[in-house]
Amino acid sequence: MLKDTQKGKVIVLVAPSGAGKTSLSQRLVKHFPTISFSVSATTRQPRSYEKKGVDYYFISQEQFQEGIDTDQFLEWEEFYGGTRYGTPISEVEKNYNSGYITLLDIEVHGALNVKNIYGDDCLSVFIKPPSLEVLKERLEKRGTENEHSLKLRLERAKHELELEQKFDKVIVNDDFDQAYKELEQLVNQFIHTHS
Ligand code: 5GP
């Protein structure tokens, strides 16, 4: 389990699927050498452009269940009709205990759980699309979803948007560069604040 030596920090970025969070987090990791990205485990199939162990650890339902049974996840959630996603404790613990910063790109409930665990050592940021219509257009343009999964993702986005006020900060991703600038400033401030 996690040790109680509060040295490192954790940043959680949350956004409805297609709100631009992945691009923002990749740019953040490039800019800040002390931030490392937490790779989640998932039972969903890899997309054509995704790399195993880089974007996700793609594992079976059985492997995921074993991870739950042996307490290997900091948090995990199941959505989109049975797909599971989880943050392996190992992705965060080593960084945290040695004073580094871990960036998590996860969904809203997992993020709120992580915020609960780390308190002031965690910055939680909600990345918001300008509207649900824009989100739908972005997802259609990305071309990774069929009609059914697009519908599920939009329904989930509606639910996630209802929880935005529970986050430390909300950034609207209307213009990518502007949203990134805001995020970079926020992160800069956070990593230089001693809690
Ligand atoms: P996607 O299938 O589009 O990669 O991800 C779907 C959703 O799952 C996104 O909102 C993503 O942030 C979230 N997600 C990815 N990894 C995790 C995780 O480890 N835990 C939780 N709770 N959500 C995750």
Side-chain angles (χ1 to χ4, degrees):
M1 282 305 292
L2 289 165
K3 290 185 200 136
D4 195 24
T5 48
Q6 305 216 331
K7 287 186 194 157
K9 291 192 178 198
V10 177
I11 299 168
V12 201
L13 289 191
V14 167
S17 183
K21 167 189 52 168
T22 308
S23 318
L24 287 171
S25 60
Q26 282 169 352
R27 193 151 153 193
L28 211 54
V29 170
K30 255 194 203 154
H31 182 82
F32 293 97
T34 51
I35 298 183
S36 71
F37 184 72
S38 160
V39 179
S40 292
T42 183
T43 59
R44 86 153 159 72
Q45 292 301 308
R47 297 179 186 133
S48 59
Y49 53 85
E50 288 178 325
K51 292 195 182 73
K52 292 179 187 169
V54 175
D55 295 287
Y56 281 107
Y57 300 111
F58 294 98
I59 61 175
S60 65
Q61 285 285 1
E62 290 72 26
Q63 289 169 313
F64 202 102
Q65 188 58 46
E66 197 184 318
I68 297 172
D69 295 342
T70 53
D71 268 346
Q72 288 180 37
F73 292 116
L74 182 64
E75 60 74 39
W76 66 273
E77 296 286 333
E78 177 174 315
F79 37 89
Y80 304 142
T83 307
R84 287 171 165 186
Y85 295 83
T87 307
I89 290 180
S90 55
E91 291 289 306
V92 184
E93 185 184 37
K94 200 164 147 250
N95 285 336
Y96 187 70
N97 290 335
S98 45
Y100 290 101
I101 299 149
T102 313
L103 177 67
L104 283 81
D105 170 343
I106 62 179
E107 60 69 61
V108 74
H109 297 286
L112 293 174
N113 284 336
V114 171
K115 176 73 190 175
N116 259 339
I117 296 169
Y118 290 103
D120 288 344
D121 289 338
C122 174
L123 171 70
S124 61
V125 185
F126 192 94
I127 311 289
K128 195 180 161 175
S131 67
L132 279 170
E133 288 68 38
V134 171
L135 187 70
K136 183 165 180 267
E137 277 166 28
R138 286 183 187 168
L139 275 173
E140 283 169 347
K141 210 164 136 199
R142 192 170 81 179
T144 53
E145 309 310 316
N146 60 35
E147 207 177 312
H148 178 64
S149 70
L150 182 70
K151 192 166 163 265
L152 290 179
R153 278 169 192 266
L154 288 172
E155 275 166 13
R156 191 164 175 88
K158 264 188 213 160
H159 168 65
E160 295 198 331
L161 286 165
E162 285 163 13
L163 295 169
E164 68 175 84
Q165 79 283 359
K166 293 190 184 284
F167 285 75
D168 294 328
K169 182 82 185 168
V170 177
I171 293 178
V172 180
N173 186 7
D174 192 355
D175 173 77
F176 180 83
D177 288 329
Q178 179 57 35
Y180 176 74
K181 218 163 111 189
E182 261 184 70
L183 183 63
E184 190 186 296
Q185 274 171 2
L186 191 67
V187 167
N188 223 340
Q189 222 173 20
F190 173 68
I191 62 182
H192 293 110
T193 304
H194 298 283
S195 52

